Amino acid sequence: MAWKMDNPLYSLSDEQEQQQILKMWGEERMGGLIHPANNRLPFPLTFLIALIILTAFMLTMPIWGQRPTAAIYQTHVELMNSPEVQKLATAEEKMKYINTEAYNRAPDNALKGQLERHPIDWYDLQNLAPHIIELQKQTKYPLDNFTVLGDKVVLANFEGNFRADGVRERKQPWWDKGYTIDVFYVSYYCLWMFIMIKRLPHFSKKPVTT
Amino acid sequence: MLFKYLSAKNEDIPPGSAAIFFGFSAIFWFVVGTGLGSFNAAKLAFPDFVTGTELFAFGHMRQVHVLAVIVGWISMAFAMTMMYMTPALGNTRMWSEKLGLWTALLWNVGLSSALLSLWIGITSGREYSDFAWPFDLVILLGVIAPLCVNVIMTIAHRRTQGIYITNWFFGACTFMVGIVLLVGNSPEYFHLTGLSEAYLTWWNAHNLLGLWITPVAAAIAYYTIPKLTGNPLYSHRIGHMHFWSIVVFYSTPASHHLMSSPLPEWLKSFASVEGVLILIPAVAFVANILLTMKGKWSMFVENIEIKFSVTGVFLAIPLNMQGGFQQTRSINWFIHGTGWIVAHAHLALLGMSTFLEIAAVYFGLQQMLKRKLYSLALANFHYWFVLIGFCTYWISMTIAGLIQGAGKIYEVPYIDVVIAEHPYMIARWVGGTMVFTGNLVWLYNMWMTARVGTLVPDGRYAHELAYER
C-alpha cells in the first residue's frame, strides 16, 4: 500500500505494488473470466463526464422552469375592470385583450417570457384578483415573493437571504445552498475517483500472465 | 424435486438448485406480471372491459401488476443470477444452498400472500411500497436479509484474491436495498404523514430503482458479456467509475420526484443536479460494455443471450437521457403526472433491466440444468415479441404523455384529452399483450429445456453447442 506522490498524474502507487497487482490480475481466473483489461478512460468519455457535470449545473438552475409569481399578473388585475375590457362580450375576448396589453406593457423580455409560459384564463383571474389586491396593501413581502398555484396565491417557500428588517426573502433565486452543497459533493467525488483510479497500475502496463 | 432438498444437509444439495428454483419462479412471475399488465391495459383501452366487480377495478389491479413484476420477476431474476454468478466468480460454491432454497420458497409464499392482500384492497397506498407493513417486514427480513447474508458470505469465502466487479455490485446492492426498505417504509411503521411520508415514499421508490434494479442489472451484464464473448471487460477503471458514481449520484436525488411539492427549494436544486449526474454511471456502463463487444459484434445477431444483453445496454441510453433531464424544473413542469412517466418507468423495468435479466436467466438456467436450450426458434420469437411489444408500448405512452402534458398546461378539458389518447391506449394494450405472449413462449421453452434439452457434457458451456431446433 505504498503511496508515491512525485508524479500523481501517472500513478499514486509505487512500481513494486503495481507489478504485484498486474501479476494478480494476470493469473486470476474468476469463474473462467479473465480480469478486466487495464485500459485507460477513453478521452471522449472523460470529456463527456466533464460535459455532464457542466450541463447538470447549467440546466438545473432555478432560473429555468420558474413558477408564476403574483407579480406577473399585476397588469391583468389592473385591466380586468377597465372600460375597454368591460365592453367586450366574451371571456375569450377579454383575455385576449388583457394578455396582449400585459405583454406589450411588460418592461423587459424576462417578464414577457414569464407571461408566455404562464397563460391564465378569465375565471382563474377573477379568483386571483382579490388576493392580489389584498397583497398589494401589505408591505412585508413584495408580490414576486408569492407563487400562483392554479387559482391560489401562496407565500413561496424559497429560503433567500435575510433582509435588513430580519425578514427572509422568498423570491426565486438564481443560486441556492443546494447548489453550494453540490459543488462540494461533486468535488469530493472527483477527488475520490482520481485517487481510486491513480492508485491502480498505470494504463500503459498490462497484466502479467505466467 | 427441489422441495426434497429443503430438509437435506447443505453439502448434499447440488450446486445451482437455488438458482433453478429462483429462475423458474422469476419466469412464472414475469408471465403473471405481464398478464396482469395486459389485463390492466385492456381496461384503459376499452373501459367497458370487465366491470361490475370492484376486485377487477383498475385501482385494485394496477399495484398487483407493478409489484408482481418488481418483487416477483425482476428481484427473483436478480436472486437467480446471484445464486450462480456469485459463487462462480469466487471459484467456490454458494455459502448456503439450503438458505437459498428456503429464501426462494419464502419469497414465493410471501409474495403470493402479499399480492393477494393487495388485490383485495389491503394497501398502504404508497406507490412502489403498496404492501401493508407486515408484508414489508416479510420482504425485508425473510427475503432481502437472507439473500444479502448468503451473497456476502459467499464473497467472503471466495477462493480468489480479488473480487470481480459483478460481485461488488451484488454485495453492495443487497445491503443497500435492505437499508432502503428499512428507512423507506418507516412512514408505515411510525405513522408518518404529510410531507415526511411523501418524501420517504419517493426516497424508497427512487432508491429501489437506483440502488437495486439498475445497478444489479448492469452487474449482470458485466458477467454475461465477457463470459459469452470471451473478451475481458474493457476497463477495470471505468468499472470503478460506474460503481462509485452509482453510490454517490444515484442515492441522493429522491426529491426530484417531488419538484412541485413544498419541499425546501434548495433540496430540489441539489437533487436536480444529482439527477443529471446519473448520466455519469450510465455513460461509464454503456461505454464499458460496448467496448467489450469489440470484434464480437456478429454475436449480436447469432447468440440469443448477447442479443438480449446488448439490446438492454442500448436501451440504457434513452433511459438515462430521459431520466437525467426529465426531472429538471423546466421539463418536469410539462411531463409530471402524465403517461410519459409511465413510459419511462417501463423503459427502465421492461426495457433496460428486463432485457439484461432475460439474457442472464437464459444463460444461467442452461448452465445449472446442464441442458442446451430446447429451441432457438422459440427464443427468437420471444426476443422479437418482447422487443416489438415493448417498443410499441413505450412509444405510444410517450406520445400519450406529451399530449397529456400539453392538455395540462393549456388547460384543455380533461375529457378531450381522454379522447385524444384513446388510440395510444389501444397501442399500449397491443404492445403489452405481445410481451405477455412472448413470455408464455419463454416459459414453455425453458420448461422443455429442463425436460428434454440436450445434455451438456461436463467442462463445456451450453452456448458452445449447436442448437437442434
Side-chain angles (χ1 to χ4, degrees), chain A residues 24-25 28-42 45 48-49 52-57 59-62 64-67 116-121 124 149 157-159 172 176-179 181-182 185-186 189 192-193 196-198 200-203, chain B residues 88-89 91 160-165 222-223 226-227 230 232-238 240-241 244-245 247-249 251-252 259-274 276-277 279-280 283-284 287 291 325 327-330 333 409-411 461:
Chain A
M24 184 187 86
W25 287 358
E28 197 149 64
R29 295 289 177 271
M30 298 161 161
L33 285 187
I34 307 167
H35 193 276
N38 191 29
N39 285 321
R40 66 172 300 173
L41 256 58
L45 184 64
L48 207 51
I49 286 165
I52 289 167
I53 293 173
L54 187 67
T55 306
F57 281 95
L59 192 70
T60 57
M61 278 189 180
W64 311 121
Q66 287 182 70
R67 295 175 189 177
E116 282 176 352
R117 285 197 294 276
H118 303 294
I120 187 171
D121 70 18
D124 278 350
L149 298 168
N157 70 339
F158 298 108
E159 295 175 9
Q172 189 157 11
D176 58 34
K177 69 185 174 192
Y179 283 78
I181 296 168
D182 266 317
Y185 198 71
V186 174
Y189 166 78
W192 175 244
M193 283 318 305
M196 286 296 297
I197 286 172
K198 293 300 173 186
L200 298 171
H202 190 260
F203 61 78
Chain B
L89 289 166
N91 292 340
T160 57
Q161 198 174 345
I163 304 174
Y164 186 71
I165 181 167
Y222 282 129
Y223 178 86
K227 185 77 180 173
L233 185 67
Y234 176 76
S235 173
H236 184 59
R237 60 193 70 214
I238 300 180
H240 269 291
M241 173 168 280
W244 289 108
S245 52
V247 174
V248 170
F249 296 132
S251 59
T252 42
M259 293 300 273
S260 300
S261 75
L263 282 172
E265 287 297 321
W266 68 263
L267 184 61
K268 294 182 205 169
S269 295
F270 172 75
S272 201
V273 175
E274 301 299 299
V276 180
L277 294 176
L279 284 164
I280 293 180
V283 297
L291 288 166
F325 295 118
Q327 47 83 36
T328 56
R329 284 182 173 90
S330 46
W333 167 73
I409 300 305
Y410 297 109
E411 300 191 359
Y461 288 107

